[in-house]
Amino acid sequence: MKTRFSNKLFFALTFGVFLACAFSINALAADTIKLGVAGVHTGDLASYGIPSVRAAGLVIKEVNAKGGILGRKIELLVEDDACKPEIATNTATKLISMHVNVVVGHICSGATKASLGIYKTGNVIVISPSATNPELTKSGRYPNFFRTIAPDDAQARLEVNFAINVLKVKKIAVLHDKGDYGKGLAEYAKKFVEQSKKARVVLYEGVSPGAVDYSAVVQKIKRSQADAIIFGGYHPEASSVVIQMRKKNMNTYFISDDGVKDDTFIKVAGKYAEGVYATGPKDVSKNPLAIAAIEAHKKTYGSAPGAFFLNAYAATQALLNAMQKAGSTNYMAIGKALRTYDVNTPLGKIRFDKLGDAIGVGFSMYQVRRGVYTEVK
Amino acid sequence: MDYFLEIFWGGLTRGSIYALIALGYTMVYGILELINFAHGEIYMIGAFTALIVSTALAMAGMKGLTVFILASVLAVIYASAYGFTVEKIAYKPLRQAPRLSPLISAIGMSIFLQNYVLLAQTSDFLPFPGLIPEFTFMQPYAHIIGSTEMVIISTTALIMLLLTVFIKFTRMGKAMRATAQDRNMAMLVGIDINKVISSTFILGSALAAVGGVLIASHIGRINFYIGFIAGIKAFTAAVLGGIGSIPGAVLGGLVLGWTESFATGYVSSDYEDVFAFAFLVLILIFRPSGLVGRKTIQKV
């Protein structure tokens, strides 16, 4: 029984190798530009990765229909990394061995980080639609890395800049809800305020989620004489703090994040929500390119696209545009083109900065005015 | 000094609510030696009922104190019905069972009620109207103690007083005390135990519902999960004061409220729960039966 099983396995393997060889020979013969899409396509997190594959596929179909770029057709190579760093290194190695020119991916920050060194050695440009870990770009270690999503600290940076430069406050209280998301943001906000040297953090505290009363912490804010509060967390705690502050006749500015930029916040806090600031993703729903991309997805797949679809769409467009502008698939040339030329995408007109973050992508400041979040221009 | 007073009143408000809910735990424990984990959910149901009633009344054009009182009364009735039913369904059939069985049944009931409200209502946070009006005569002191806080504290004080009178002087109160002391003996002298137990659940649930309405209009939002944390805190308060003792529950609630409030005010709200529970551990080391609890002989 055992020998028969291993025989079968042997045959299956041999067949697999033949098949793989046949494919790669075909691919080489065609002389295409190879665009890899790496990310999580199986398991629990597959819903984060699949939309990117579809986005890249849709862009490529459209470009190939017009004859491709640089006179060559574009070929899509899809590889799964299961969101695991240890698999992501294999994924990267495999894509490089398949002579990939550029890569859209990976999806998870951890997997992206693990694979970037391999792409760097292989001289491959990578654009992630979803890896938000700030260090990926800020460390400067990966000149081959770009992304079409704002990093995790972008909201904190926007909040702090807004407080200091627009509201011109000097004393800032930084609060959070002790959760990963809220505390992470609050830590960045605190760091940015301290670095700016134009304002001081007068209070840094976590509030207990679900507590029956927030008056003690509100009194503490009052005593700290803060002019503005930067709150990291979600709307339930934010609404309680805001309601109690306003009831105690405090007019301190309240600035928060996209966890608070939610209509439930306005519903719960009611009239007390008026004037609260919150950052939120830039609104792209009116962008004609975004509407067209979503329509294309609906036509092909019969449903609305999932997470990071537009980011991946923009990433693919940016890569193809850069190759077109650079006139080659040379690593240095593509990198330079990405940093130099604007490209029209569903996320708006974007370009990349020195470190690889997209300029023109990310968050805007909103304020509650007459019961709705309105973008602050 | 102002700051100290502000923190003091904040702690008193918080403590009053804990005390209201803790009373339900302690009364049930006193009589059945059962920790009624579904009690926090009764508090939540009280708050939801008040929300539904007050929304309906607001649509009918009523406002102000009438809405508050009507909503509270209906919430109390509805929550009491729930408390009564929970006892009949989940605890009464298990009265002769080993002590762990009703405990598990209580946890099950708590999970059931949470999910029931989650499915019947919503998982989202709902805005709760500020039912307690802002009194103009309180305006000069609003920075120290708001109208809502004052109403919470005085309502709680009044309820405590009424409860004491009820327990001390009425027939049912006396029957409750007798049952708590010795259930079999009480039965022998002709006390209807089932009636006493039901009344205890009804009374405890009514208090929890009052707490629910008060705190919901204080913090302005509710969802199906609010009963869990409030329940845990109130249970802590009951243990701190000495579970089974009514003055103990009140004292425990106030002490817990103040500990949390002062920990936030003078140290950091990051350590609010750390202080509260560290204090509980300390008390239990030196006074194992709580602040005012008396040692009971283990019935073997």
Side-chain angles (χ1 to χ4, degrees):
Chain A
M1 203 59 196
K2 199 170 179 198
T3 39
R4 272 173 66 189
F5 178 69
S6 33
N7 266 343
K8 264 189 199 160
L9 192 72
F10 175 70
F11 271 116
L13 276 179
T14 331
F15 186 68
V17 169
F18 269 114
L19 209 67
C21 288
F23 270 127
S24 43
I25 287 163
N26 266 344
L28 273 178
D31 187 32
T32 51
I33 292 176
K34 296 193 185 59
L35 185 135
V37 178
V40 47
H41 308 138
T42 52
D44 297 347
L45 301 173
S47 61
Y48 288 149
I50 302 285
S52 293
V53 179
R54 292 180 173 179
L58 288 171
V59 176
I60 288 171
K61 203 171 94 189
E62 198 186 313
V63 172
N64 278 345
K66 289 180 191 154
I69 51 167
L70 310 173
R72 292 150 75 183
K73 294 272 188 203
I74 300 139
E75 189 192 344
L76 186 65
L77 302 175
V78 178
E79 283 300 326
D80 186 11
D81 70 3
C83 191
K84 295 198 171 80
E86 66 274 19
I87 298 179
T89 51
N90 292 341
T91 311
T93 315
K94 190 164 172 205
L95 281 171
I96 288 171
S97 70
M98 288 155 94
H99 302 286
V100 76
N101 296 97
V102 286
V103 170
V104 173
H106 295 209
I107 301 297
C108 305
S109 287
T112 309
K113 189 163 183 229
S115 63
L116 279 180
I118 294 164
Y119 290 122
K120 190 171 152 191
T121 333
N123 285 341
V124 173
I125 297 274
V126 181
I127 302 192
S128 171
S130 62
T132 54
N133 183 322
E135 290 310 307
L136 291 174
T137 51
K138 302 284 188 281
S139 68
R141 281 170 58 200
Y142 305 110
N144 59 328
F145 180 68
F146 299 84
R147 62 180 151 208
T148 50
I149 193 162
D152 285 335
D153 60 357
Q155 291 195 70
R157 198 175 284 280
L158 178 61
E159 284 166 14
V160 171
N161 286 344
F162 186 80
I164 293 175
N165 300 330
V166 181
L167 302 175
K168 306 214 182 298
V169 297
K170 297 275 177 245
K171 291 183 212 155
I172 299 176
V174 179
L175 300 182
H176 59 81
D177 66 355
K178 303 190 193 171
D180 280 345
Y181 165 74
K183 194 169 182 199
L185 270 175
E187 270 167 9
Y188 284 121
K190 182 167 170 250
K191 197 171 88 188
F192 295 146
V193 173
E194 280 160 0
Q195 279 169 359
S196 78
K197 302 210 163 37
K198 285 189 216 149
R200 276 189 308 126
V201 175
V202 288
L203 182 70
Y204 179 74
E205 288 222 354
V207 300
S208 303
V212 296
D213 174 67
Y214 291 93
S215 60
V217 84
V218 167
Q219 298 294 3
K220 213 167 174 184
I221 297 166
K222 196 165 87 180
R223 194 165 74 149
S224 74
Q225 294 182 329
D227 306 311
I229 295 161
I230 292 181
F231 178 81
Y234 298 101
H235 62 83
E237 285 69 39
S239 57
S240 292
V241 172
V242 168
I243 291 172
Q244 296 210 343
M245 265 181 13
R246 301 297 186 239
K247 275 192 182 166
K248 295 219 183 299
N249 306 328
M250 290 163 64
N251 298 317
T252 322
Y253 292 119
F254 193 87
I255 307 165
S256 195
D257 46 48
D258 64 345
V260 172
K261 198 202 156 280
D262 186 305
D263 288 339
T264 316
F265 172 76
I266 301 177
K267 214 170 78 192
V268 171
K271 62 176 176 175
Y272 301 109
E274 209 58 22
V276 163
Y277 293 99
T279 56
K282 275 214 173 95
D283 184 15
V284 295
S285 64
K286 301 218 171 49
N287 183 326
L289 288 173
I291 296 168
I294 291 167
E295 272 312 308
H297 184 280
K298 278 185 185 154
K299 221 169 93 187
T300 316
Y301 298 102
S303 62
F308 311 121
F309 173 78
L310 291 180
N311 301 74
Y313 204 95
T316 315
Q317 283 183 321
L319 280 172
L320 298 182
N321 179 65
M323 284 190 274
Q324 179 88 37
K325 287 275 168 37
S328 82
T329 53
N330 177 282
Y331 167 67
M332 295 304 277
I334 301 173
K336 188 157 172 273
L338 281 171
R339 292 187 179 93
T340 319
Y341 301 105
D342 284 331
V343 54
N344 272 317
T345 71
L347 301 178
K349 195 179 259 192
I350 62 168
R351 182 155 57 87
F352 295 87
D353 67 11
K354 198 163 88 258
L355 292 167
D357 277 318
I359 303 167
V361 166
F363 294 94
S364 307
M365 186 59 81
Y366 295 82
Q367 187 183 25
V368 182
R369 288 176 191 160
R370 283 187 224 97
V372 276
Y373 273 114
T374 319
E375 193 170 345
V376 181
K377 291 277 161 41
Chain B
M1 193 60 197
D2 263 11
Y3 185 64
F4 176 85
L5 279 180
E6 287 158 7
I7 301 287
F8 177 86
W9 289 115
L12 190 59
T13 313
R14 202 185 265 234
S16 307
I17 297 296
Y18 291 158
L20 274 179
I21 309 171
L23 280 169
Y25 278 107
T26 222
M27 281 162 55
V28 167
Y29 187 88
I31 286 176
L32 282 182
E33 293 190 10
L34 161 75
I35 295 156
N36 178 16
F37 278 110
H39 191 59
E41 270 53 63
I42 300 290
Y43 153 91
M44 177 262 300
I45 286 172
F48 262 95
T49 316
L51 174 64
I52 294 165
V53 172
S54 61
T55 315
L57 290 180
M59 275 203 272
M62 282 161 104
K63 49 171 110 92
L65 218 50
T66 356
V67 177
F68 173 55
I69 291 166
L70 270 177
S72 308
V73 168
L74 280 168
V76 163
I77 294 171
Y78 201 66
S80 303
Y82 263 93
F84 175 80
T85 320
V86 164
E87 194 268 330
K88 285 281 178 268
I89 292 174
Y91 308 138
K92 196 178 170 206
L94 295 171
R95 209 167 282 161
Q96 304 308 325
R99 282 185 53 192
L100 268 181
S101 311
L103 193 73
I104 299 299
S105 180
I107 293 172
M109 212 60 214
S110 156
I111 296 170
F112 169 77
L113 287 176
Q114 262 178 36
N115 286 283
Y116 165 67
V117 174
L118 164 71
L119 293 171
Q121 296 293 325
T122 169
S123 62
D124 228 357
F125 274 97
L126 292 171
F128 196 94
L131 291 177
I132 305 171
E134 298 285 321
F135 300 116
T136 34
F137 64 86
M138 286 299 292
Q139 211 52 43
Y141 313 103
H143 63 287
I144 294 179
I145 174 172
S147 307
T148 325
E149 278 114 320
M150 202 202 59
V151 170
I152 290 177
I153 294 167
S154 36
T155 312
T156 311
L158 183 71
I159 286 176
M160 304 290 166
L161 198 73
L162 290 176
L163 186 70
T164 316
V165 171
F166 176 81
I167 297 281
K168 280 238 144 81
F169 303 111
T170 61
R171 261 183 95 81
M172 184 47 85
K174 284 176 187 163
M176 277 179 182
R177 279 189 290 151
T179 314
Q181 275 176 12
D182 191 326
R183 204 197 301 169
N184 288 330
M185 193 61 211
M187 229 161 5
L188 286 176
V189 298
I191 293 172
D192 185 350
I193 298 290
N194 287 332
K195 214 168 128 192
V196 170
I197 291 173
S198 290
S199 319
T200 311
F201 271 88
I202 289 172
L203 197 57
S205 304
L207 297 178
V210 174
V213 177
L214 289 175
I215 207 69
S217 40
H218 180 48
I219 63 171
R221 64 182 161 92
I222 57 172
N223 78 344
F224 71 95
Y225 201 59
I226 52 167
F228 180 73
I229 294 172
I232 291 279
K233 287 288 169 67
F235 175 60
T236 310
V239 173
L240 186 65
I243 192 146
S245 147
I246 288 176
V250 178
L251 189 65
L254 295 183
V255 167
L256 189 68
W258 274 320
T259 314
E260 286 185 359
S261 208
F262 281 110
T264 302
Y266 287 99
V267 188
S268 162
S269 64
D270 291 309
Y271 296 103
E272 184 181 287
D273 292 345
V274 176
F275 273 87
F277 287 100
F279 194 64
L280 175 74
V281 170
L282 271 182
I283 295 286
L284 291 184
I285 287 173
F286 293 106
R287 290 192 64 93
S289 44
L291 286 172
V292 296
R294 52 202 157 76
K295 270 216 180 75
T296 46
I297 302 139
Q298 272 295 328
K299 295 169 205 160
V300 184

